[in-house]
Amino acid sequence: MPEQDVTVGQLLLAEYESVKGEQKARIGFRDNLLYVTLAVVAAVIAATAQAKQPSMLLALPPVCVVLGWTYLVNDEKISAIGLYVRDDLGPRLAELAGGGGGFTTFGWEAYHRRDTRRRSRKAVQTVIDLTAFCVVPLAALIVFWSNGDAGGLLIGLSVLEALVLAGLGSQIVRYAKAA
């Protein structure tokens, strides 16, 4: 069987396919995390109402923090892959293709970022992320606190949960500003 030489261009295209596959998988996973969060919130609220136990609402903050953090990490990796394709992989392929003529590879990676409504969509998405992962569980804590018949240990736990939610919220805002 004759040996086939693999060119640098072929390797870079294979890398492109690989990172775009990872990006696609991460997008699907990230987007499903919002649905999972909504389902968990509905389940906890229904169980709390049925059992008439406001302390069950204390389950929402840790679950929302884990889901929110996972969402945020995946979103960051999705953006990092796009940046890598735009700023590293694309230029290397353009150079191999004779980049002296201003040839741009993977134009969509930069084109869609120039949309005039992109900034407003990002702002709305940040509000949605904050609402799903921080505001809703904070509202659950407020309902818990307003019930007034919890012991000191549960109050302490709820305050800790509120602080963790604030930390997640600050990371969501910080990442949105960086993006």
Short mmCIF file of all heavy atoms in Angstrom, two decimals, residues 48-93:
data_model
loop_
_atom_site.label_atom_id
_atom_site.label_comp_id
_atom_site.label_asym_id
_atom_site.label_seq_id
_atom_site.Cartn_x
_atom_site.Cartn_y
_atom_site.Cartn_z
N THR A 48 -42.43 21.84 46.57
CA THR A 48 -42.52 22.71 47.75
C THR A 48 -43.96 23.07 48.05
O THR A 48 -44.40 23.04 49.21
CB THR A 48 -41.69 23.99 47.52
OG1 THR A 48 -40.33 23.61 47.28
CG2 THR A 48 -41.76 24.93 48.71
N ALA A 49 -44.71 23.42 47.01
CA ALA A 49 -46.12 23.79 47.20
C ALA A 49 -46.94 22.61 47.69
O ALA A 49 -47.80 22.75 48.56
CB ALA A 49 -46.68 24.34 45.89
N GLN A 50 -46.68 21.43 47.13
CA GLN A 50 -47.42 20.24 47.52
C GLN A 50 -47.11 19.85 48.96
O GLN A 50 -48.01 19.51 49.72
CB GLN A 50 -47.10 19.10 46.57
CG GLN A 50 -47.97 17.88 46.80
CD GLN A 50 -47.73 16.81 45.75
OE1 GLN A 50 -46.75 16.86 45.01
NE2 GLN A 50 -48.62 15.84 45.70
N ALA A 51 -45.85 19.90 49.34
CA ALA A 51 -45.46 19.50 50.69
C ALA A 51 -45.64 20.63 51.70
O ALA A 51 -45.56 20.39 52.90
CB ALA A 51 -44.01 19.04 50.69
N LYS A 52 -45.85 21.84 51.21
CA LYS A 52 -45.98 23.02 52.08
C LYS A 52 -44.77 23.14 53.01
O LYS A 52 -44.90 23.40 54.20
CB LYS A 52 -47.29 22.98 52.85
CG LYS A 52 -48.50 23.07 51.94
CD LYS A 52 -49.80 23.08 52.69
CE LYS A 52 -50.90 23.27 51.67
NZ LYS A 52 -52.07 22.56 51.87
N GLN A 53 -43.58 22.95 52.42
CA GLN A 53 -42.32 23.02 53.15
C GLN A 53 -41.41 24.03 52.45
O GLN A 53 -40.64 23.67 51.55
CB GLN A 53 -41.64 21.65 53.19
CG GLN A 53 -42.35 20.61 54.00
CD GLN A 53 -42.29 20.94 55.48
OE1 GLN A 53 -41.28 21.45 55.97
NE2 GLN A 53 -43.36 20.66 56.19
N PRO A 54 -41.45 25.30 52.85
CA PRO A 54 -40.60 26.31 52.19
C PRO A 54 -39.11 25.98 52.24
O PRO A 54 -38.36 26.44 51.38
CB PRO A 54 -40.91 27.59 52.96
CG PRO A 54 -42.24 27.36 53.58
CD PRO A 54 -42.32 25.89 53.85
N SER A 55 -38.69 25.19 53.20
CA SER A 55 -37.26 24.85 53.28
C SER A 55 -36.80 24.04 52.06
O SER A 55 -35.61 24.03 51.75
CB SER A 55 -36.96 24.08 54.56
OG SER A 55 -37.68 22.86 54.59
N MET A 56 -37.73 23.41 51.34
CA MET A 56 -37.36 22.68 50.13
C MET A 56 -36.85 23.63 49.04
O MET A 56 -36.11 23.21 48.14
CB MET A 56 -38.57 21.88 49.61
CG MET A 56 -38.95 20.72 50.52
SD MET A 56 -40.46 19.88 49.99
CE MET A 56 -39.89 19.10 48.50
N LEU A 57 -37.21 24.90 49.15
CA LEU A 57 -36.73 25.89 48.18
C LEU A 57 -35.21 26.08 48.25
O LEU A 57 -34.61 26.59 47.32
CB LEU A 57 -37.43 27.23 48.39
CG LEU A 57 -38.93 27.26 48.05
CD1 LEU A 57 -39.55 28.57 48.49
CD2 LEU A 57 -39.14 27.01 46.56
N LEU A 58 -34.62 25.66 49.37
CA LEU A 58 -33.16 25.77 49.51
C LEU A 58 -32.41 24.86 48.54
O LEU A 58 -31.20 25.00 48.37
CB LEU A 58 -32.74 25.47 50.95
CG LEU A 58 -33.23 26.46 52.01
CD1 LEU A 58 -32.77 26.02 53.39
CD2 LEU A 58 -32.75 27.86 51.69
N ALA A 59 -33.14 23.94 47.89
CA ALA A 59 -32.50 23.09 46.89
C ALA A 59 -32.24 23.85 45.58
O ALA A 59 -31.33 23.48 44.82
CB ALA A 59 -33.38 21.87 46.60
N LEU A 60 -33.01 24.90 45.33
CA LEU A 60 -32.86 25.62 44.06
C LEU A 60 -31.52 26.32 43.88
O LEU A 60 -30.90 26.18 42.81
CB LEU A 60 -33.99 26.63 43.88
CG LEU A 60 -35.26 26.10 43.22
CD1 LEU A 60 -36.29 27.21 43.06
CD2 LEU A 60 -34.96 25.46 41.90
N PRO A 61 -31.04 27.10 44.84
CA PRO A 61 -29.77 27.80 44.60
C PRO A 61 -28.59 26.90 44.22
O PRO A 61 -27.93 27.18 43.22
CB PRO A 61 -29.54 28.57 45.90
CG PRO A 61 -30.92 28.83 46.41
CD PRO A 61 -31.67 27.56 46.09
N PRO A 62 -28.31 25.82 44.95
CA PRO A 62 -27.14 25.02 44.54
C PRO A 62 -27.31 24.38 43.16
O PRO A 62 -26.36 24.32 42.37
CB PRO A 62 -26.98 23.97 45.63
CG PRO A 62 -28.18 24.04 46.48
CD PRO A 62 -28.87 25.33 46.20
N VAL A 63 -28.53 23.92 42.86
CA VAL A 63 -28.76 23.32 41.55
C VAL A 63 -28.59 24.37 40.45
O VAL A 63 -27.94 24.12 39.43
CB VAL A 63 -30.16 22.67 41.49
CG1 VAL A 63 -30.52 22.27 40.08
CG2 VAL A 63 -30.23 21.47 42.42
N CYS A 64 -29.16 25.56 40.66
CA CYS A 64 -29.04 26.63 39.65
C CYS A 64 -27.60 27.11 39.51
O CYS A 64 -27.17 27.46 38.40
CB CYS A 64 -29.97 27.79 39.99
SG CYS A 64 -31.71 27.40 39.72
N VAL A 65 -26.84 27.11 40.59
CA VAL A 65 -25.43 27.51 40.51
C VAL A 65 -24.64 26.49 39.69
O VAL A 65 -23.86 26.87 38.82
CB VAL A 65 -24.82 27.71 41.91
CG1 VAL A 65 -23.30 27.75 41.85
CG2 VAL A 65 -25.35 28.98 42.55
N VAL A 66 -24.85 25.23 39.95
CA VAL A 66 -24.12 24.19 39.18
C VAL A 66 -24.50 24.26 37.71
O VAL A 66 -23.63 24.25 36.83
CB VAL A 66 -24.41 22.79 39.76
CG1 VAL A 66 -23.91 21.69 38.83
CG2 VAL A 66 -23.77 22.64 41.14
N LEU A 67 -25.79 24.36 37.42
CA LEU A 67 -26.22 24.44 36.02
C LEU A 67 -25.75 25.74 35.38
O LEU A 67 -25.31 25.76 34.22
CB LEU A 67 -27.74 24.31 35.93
CG LEU A 67 -28.31 22.93 36.30
CD1 LEU A 67 -29.83 22.97 36.39
CD2 LEU A 67 -27.86 21.87 35.30
N GLY A 68 -25.83 26.84 36.12
CA GLY A 68 -25.40 28.14 35.60
C GLY A 68 -23.92 28.18 35.32
O GLY A 68 -23.47 28.73 34.31
N TRP A 69 -23.13 27.63 36.23
CA TRP A 69 -21.68 27.61 36.03
C TRP A 69 -21.33 26.74 34.82
O TRP A 69 -20.48 27.11 34.00
CB TRP A 69 -20.97 27.12 37.28
CG TRP A 69 -19.48 27.15 37.11
CD1 TRP A 69 -18.65 26.09 36.91
CD2 TRP A 69 -18.66 28.32 37.04
NE1 TRP A 69 -17.35 26.53 36.75
CE2 TRP A 69 -17.34 27.90 36.83
CE3 TRP A 69 -18.91 29.68 37.17
CZ2 TRP A 69 -16.27 28.78 36.72
CZ3 TRP A 69 -17.85 30.57 37.07
CH2 TRP A 69 -16.55 30.11 36.84
N THR A 70 -21.98 25.60 34.70
CA THR A 70 -21.75 24.72 33.55
C THR A 70 -22.12 25.43 32.26
O THR A 70 -21.41 25.33 31.25
CB THR A 70 -22.54 23.40 33.72
OG1 THR A 70 -22.19 22.82 34.98
CG2 THR A 70 -22.24 22.42 32.60
N TYR A 71 -23.24 26.14 32.27
CA TYR A 71 -23.67 26.93 31.12
C TYR A 71 -22.61 27.97 30.76
O TYR A 71 -22.21 28.10 29.60
CB TYR A 71 -25.00 27.62 31.45
CG TYR A 71 -25.54 28.49 30.36
CD1 TYR A 71 -26.48 28.00 29.45
CD2 TYR A 71 -25.15 29.82 30.23
CE1 TYR A 71 -27.00 28.81 28.45
CE2 TYR A 71 -25.66 30.63 29.23
CZ TYR A 71 -26.59 30.12 28.35
OH TYR A 71 -27.08 30.92 27.36
N LEU A 72 -22.14 28.69 31.76
CA LEU A 72 -21.16 29.76 31.53
C LEU A 72 -19.84 29.21 30.99
O LEU A 72 -19.27 29.77 30.05
CB LEU A 72 -20.92 30.52 32.85
CG LEU A 72 -20.08 31.78 32.77
CD1 LEU A 72 -20.76 32.82 31.89
CD2 LEU A 72 -19.86 32.34 34.16
N VAL A 73 -19.36 28.11 31.55
CA VAL A 73 -18.11 27.51 31.09
C VAL A 73 -18.24 27.04 29.64
O VAL A 73 -17.34 27.26 28.82
CB VAL A 73 -17.68 26.35 32.02
CG1 VAL A 73 -16.59 25.51 31.41
CG2 VAL A 73 -17.26 26.90 33.37
N ASN A 74 -19.36 26.41 29.31
CA ASN A 74 -19.55 25.97 27.93
C ASN A 74 -19.66 27.15 26.99
O ASN A 74 -19.12 27.11 25.88
CB ASN A 74 -20.79 25.08 27.82
CG ASN A 74 -20.45 23.64 28.06
OD1 ASN A 74 -19.96 22.96 27.18
ND2 ASN A 74 -20.68 23.18 29.28
N ASP A 75 -20.34 28.20 27.40
CA ASP A 75 -20.48 29.39 26.56
C ASP A 75 -19.10 30.01 26.30
O ASP A 75 -18.80 30.42 25.17
CB ASP A 75 -21.41 30.40 27.23
CG ASP A 75 -21.85 31.48 26.29
OD1 ASP A 75 -22.39 31.15 25.21
OD2 ASP A 75 -21.68 32.67 26.62
N GLU A 76 -18.26 30.03 27.32
CA GLU A 76 -16.91 30.58 27.16
C GLU A 76 -16.10 29.73 26.17
O GLU A 76 -15.39 30.27 25.32
CB GLU A 76 -16.20 30.65 28.52
CG GLU A 76 -14.88 31.40 28.49
CD GLU A 76 -13.70 30.58 27.97
OE1 GLU A 76 -13.68 29.35 28.20
OE2 GLU A 76 -12.82 31.17 27.31
N LYS A 77 -16.22 28.42 26.26
CA LYS A 77 -15.48 27.54 25.35
C LYS A 77 -15.98 27.69 23.92
O LYS A 77 -15.19 27.64 22.97
CB LYS A 77 -15.57 26.08 25.79
CG LYS A 77 -14.89 25.79 27.11
CD LYS A 77 -13.41 26.10 27.05
CE LYS A 77 -12.76 25.82 28.37
NZ LYS A 77 -11.68 26.72 28.69
N ILE A 78 -17.28 27.88 23.74
CA ILE A 78 -17.85 28.10 22.41
C ILE A 78 -17.24 29.36 21.80
O ILE A 78 -16.82 29.37 20.65
CB ILE A 78 -19.39 28.20 22.50
CG1 ILE A 78 -19.97 26.84 22.86
CG2 ILE A 78 -19.98 28.74 21.20
CD1 ILE A 78 -21.41 26.90 23.37
N SER A 79 -17.18 30.42 22.59
CA SER A 79 -16.59 31.67 22.11
C SER A 79 -15.10 31.52 21.85
O SER A 79 -14.57 32.07 20.88
CB SER A 79 -16.83 32.79 23.13
OG SER A 79 -18.20 33.07 23.25
N ALA A 80 -14.41 30.78 22.72
CA ALA A 80 -12.97 30.58 22.54
C ALA A 80 -12.68 29.82 21.25
O ALA A 80 -11.70 30.13 20.55
CB ALA A 80 -12.38 29.84 23.75
N ILE A 81 -13.51 28.86 20.92
CA ILE A 81 -13.32 28.12 19.67
C ILE A 81 -13.49 29.07 18.48
O ILE A 81 -12.69 29.05 17.54
CB ILE A 81 -14.29 26.92 19.58
CG1 ILE A 81 -13.86 25.83 20.58
CG2 ILE A 81 -14.33 26.36 18.15
CD1 ILE A 81 -14.87 24.71 20.77
N GLY A 82 -14.51 29.90 18.53
CA GLY A 82 -14.72 30.87 17.44
C GLY A 82 -13.53 31.81 17.30
O GLY A 82 -13.08 32.09 16.18
N LEU A 83 -13.02 32.28 18.42
CA LEU A 83 -11.85 33.17 18.41
C LEU A 83 -10.64 32.46 17.83
O LEU A 83 -9.89 33.02 17.02
CB LEU A 83 -11.56 33.67 19.83
CG LEU A 83 -10.39 34.63 19.99
CD1 LEU A 83 -10.66 35.95 19.27
CD2 LEU A 83 -10.13 34.88 21.48
N TYR A 84 -10.42 31.22 18.21
CA TYR A 84 -9.30 30.45 17.71
C TYR A 84 -9.40 30.27 16.19
O TYR A 84 -8.41 30.44 15.47
CB TYR A 84 -9.24 29.08 18.41
CG TYR A 84 -8.21 28.16 17.84
CD1 TYR A 84 -6.85 28.41 18.03
CD2 TYR A 84 -8.57 27.04 17.10
CE1 TYR A 84 -5.89 27.57 17.49
CE2 TYR A 84 -7.61 26.20 16.57
CZ TYR A 84 -6.28 26.47 16.76
OH TYR A 84 -5.33 25.64 16.23
N VAL A 85 -10.60 29.95 15.71
CA VAL A 85 -10.77 29.77 14.27
C VAL A 85 -10.52 31.09 13.54
O VAL A 85 -9.84 31.12 12.52
CB VAL A 85 -12.18 29.20 13.95
CG1 VAL A 85 -12.49 29.27 12.46
CG2 VAL A 85 -12.29 27.76 14.45
N ARG A 86 -11.05 32.19 14.07
CA ARG A 86 -10.90 33.51 13.43
C ARG A 86 -9.46 34.01 13.46
O ARG A 86 -8.96 34.52 12.46
CB ARG A 86 -11.76 34.55 14.15
CG ARG A 86 -13.17 34.62 13.74
CD ARG A 86 -13.89 35.84 14.32
NE ARG A 86 -13.63 36.12 15.72
CZ ARG A 86 -14.23 35.52 16.75
NH1 ARG A 86 -15.12 34.59 16.53
NH2 ARG A 86 -13.95 35.86 17.99
N ASP A 87 -8.82 33.91 14.62
CA ASP A 87 -7.54 34.59 14.82
C ASP A 87 -6.30 33.72 14.65
O ASP A 87 -5.20 34.24 14.54
CB ASP A 87 -7.50 35.22 16.23
CG ASP A 87 -8.47 36.36 16.37
OD1 ASP A 87 -9.11 36.74 15.38
OD2 ASP A 87 -8.60 36.88 17.50
N ASP A 88 -6.47 32.42 14.64
CA ASP A 88 -5.30 31.54 14.55
C ASP A 88 -5.40 30.59 13.36
O ASP A 88 -4.60 30.65 12.44
CB ASP A 88 -5.14 30.78 15.87
CG ASP A 88 -3.83 30.03 15.95
OD1 ASP A 88 -3.66 29.05 15.18
OD2 ASP A 88 -2.96 30.39 16.76
N LEU A 89 -6.38 29.72 13.40
CA LEU A 89 -6.49 28.68 12.39
C LEU A 89 -6.78 29.26 11.00
O LEU A 89 -6.13 28.88 10.01
CB LEU A 89 -7.60 27.70 12.80
CG LEU A 89 -7.71 26.40 12.04
CD1 LEU A 89 -6.41 25.63 12.09
CD2 LEU A 89 -8.84 25.57 12.62
N GLY A 90 -7.71 30.18 10.91
CA GLY A 90 -8.05 30.79 9.62
C GLY A 90 -6.87 31.49 8.96
O GLY A 90 -6.58 31.22 7.78
N PRO A 91 -6.18 32.37 9.68
CA PRO A 91 -5.01 33.01 9.07
C PRO A 91 -3.92 32.04 8.63
O PRO A 91 -3.28 32.25 7.59
CB PRO A 91 -4.51 33.95 10.18
CG PRO A 91 -5.73 34.26 10.97
CD PRO A 91 -6.53 32.99 10.96
N ARG A 92 -3.70 30.96 9.38
CA ARG A 92 -2.69 29.99 8.97
C ARG A 92 -3.09 29.30 7.67
O ARG A 92 -2.25 29.09 6.79
CB ARG A 92 -2.46 28.94 10.07
CG ARG A 92 -1.66 29.50 11.24
CD ARG A 92 -1.20 28.42 12.18
NE ARG A 92 -2.32 27.89 12.93
CZ ARG A 92 -2.33 26.69 13.51
NH1 ARG A 92 -1.29 25.90 13.45
NH2 ARG A 92 -3.40 26.29 14.17
N LEU A 93 -4.38 28.98 7.53
CA LEU A 93 -4.84 28.37 6.28
C LEU A 93 -4.78 29.36 5.13
O LEU A 93 -4.42 29.00 4.00
CB LEU A 93 -6.27 27.84 6.43
CG LEU A 93 -6.38 26.41 6.91
CD1 LEU A 93 -7.81 26.07 7.28
CD2 LEU A 93 -5.87 25.45 5.86
#
